[in-house]
Amino acid sequence: MLDTAARLALSPLLIAQALQIRRIAQRLPEAAGPREGVIGSGPPLRLGIVGDSSAAGVGVSHQSQALAGQLTDALSRHFEVSWYLDALTGATTSSTLARLESAKPKPLDVVVIALGVNDVTRLVPAPVWLRQQQRLLARLRVMYSPKQFYISGMPPLQHFPLLPHPCAGRLAATQPSLRHTASPIWIHAPIALMPSLIWNLTQT
């Protein structure tokens, strides 16, 4: 009850702060460089990365320094990696679903999903987010038929210098709710968290 009352009292301030954060964050450029390619030698591995600014490379100058570059570099020591990146600053689960409507299907072995921060900053209710996640996974299965999904964890929003108080604390408190809500669908799908990706693939 106290948490609900606090949220109601702070709602106008939280909304104003969230809107300001999105305006500032979306001015930051995405990393330059290719968004698909082939790297390495060994057994073939087809990799797709779908996400938001964390996957698009906001904060670094080139894709080689970003998620796609670092991940493919590590995997290329064990595989011939054919990879592509579909990521956009500000992307939410809902907007990604809409964007995938026009994407071309292709067979993939692994799909990495790096989404969630913008759902949190937009205060998407957990039940709504769960339905969107279910639709996203279903859409990705139809398009890519991956053997495995890997989910990138959300960063600790309470430590982001861009986020003012009380917005940072409120958003950080929302994250466990979304993860808890999604746990049932993650358990019943071929899904693992990102830190295990390289270890899992190299042990098979």
Side-chain angles (χ1 to χ4, degrees):
M1 286 294 293
L2 287 175
D3 182 65
T4 301
R7 265 189 295 177
L8 289 173
L10 291 170
S11 287
L13 176 59
L14 293 174
I15 292 170
Q17 287 183 337
L19 290 172
Q20 176 64 14
I21 291 162
R22 288 208 300 272
R23 281 195 294 270
I24 295 170
Q26 288 184 356
R27 294 179 192 145
L28 301 176
E30 297 178 356
R35 294 197 170 209
E36 60 182 325
V38 180
I39 184 174
S41 61
L45 178 69
R46 299 166 299 183
L47 170 70
I49 302 172
V50 177
D52 52 26
S53 59
S54 65
V58 170
V60 297
S61 60
H62 195 270
Q63 289 295 341
S64 62
Q65 303 166 289
L67 174 62
Q70 294 296 301
L71 183 55
T72 55
D73 178 66
L75 290 172
S76 70
R77 300 164 199 171
H78 308 276
F79 302 95
E80 180 185 82
V81 185
S82 301
W83 64 278
Y84 96 101
L85 171 66
D86 179 7
L88 187 66
T89 297
T92 61
T93 303
S94 177
S95 70
T96 300
L97 271 166
R99 193 170 73 251
L100 288 173
E101 290 298 324
S102 60
K104 295 180 180 179
K106 64 175 73 177
L108 295 174
D109 299 306
V110 173
V111 172
V112 172
I113 303 171
L115 285 168
V117 169
N118 295 304
D119 294 297
V120 173
T121 61
R122 283 162 175 76
L123 305 178
V124 176
V128 174
W129 188 72
L130 175 61
R131 291 194 295 271
Q132 293 172 349
Q133 285 281 302
Q134 290 172 320
R135 289 175 55 207
L136 177 65
L137 292 172
R139 177 63 179 162
L140 291 171
R141 286 192 192 98
V142 169
M143 291 184 62
Y144 304 130
S145 302
K147 299 172 185 175
Q148 185 78 49
F149 290 104
Y150 285 85
I151 305 294
S152 174
M154 295 186 200
L157 294 176
Q158 69 272 26
H159 299 309
F160 276 30
L162 181 66
L163 300 178
H165 178 77
C167 187
R170 184 66 257 164
L171 294 180
T174 303
Q175 290 176 289
S177 174
L178 295 188
R179 286 194 295 268
H180 176 76
T181 301
S183 292
I185 65 170
W186 290 354
I187 289 171
H188 296 293
I191 290 177
L193 296 180
M194 270 290 290
S196 62
L197 189 156
I198 295 172
W199 190 90
N200 283 354
L201 293 178
T202 56
Q203 299 305 306
T204 57

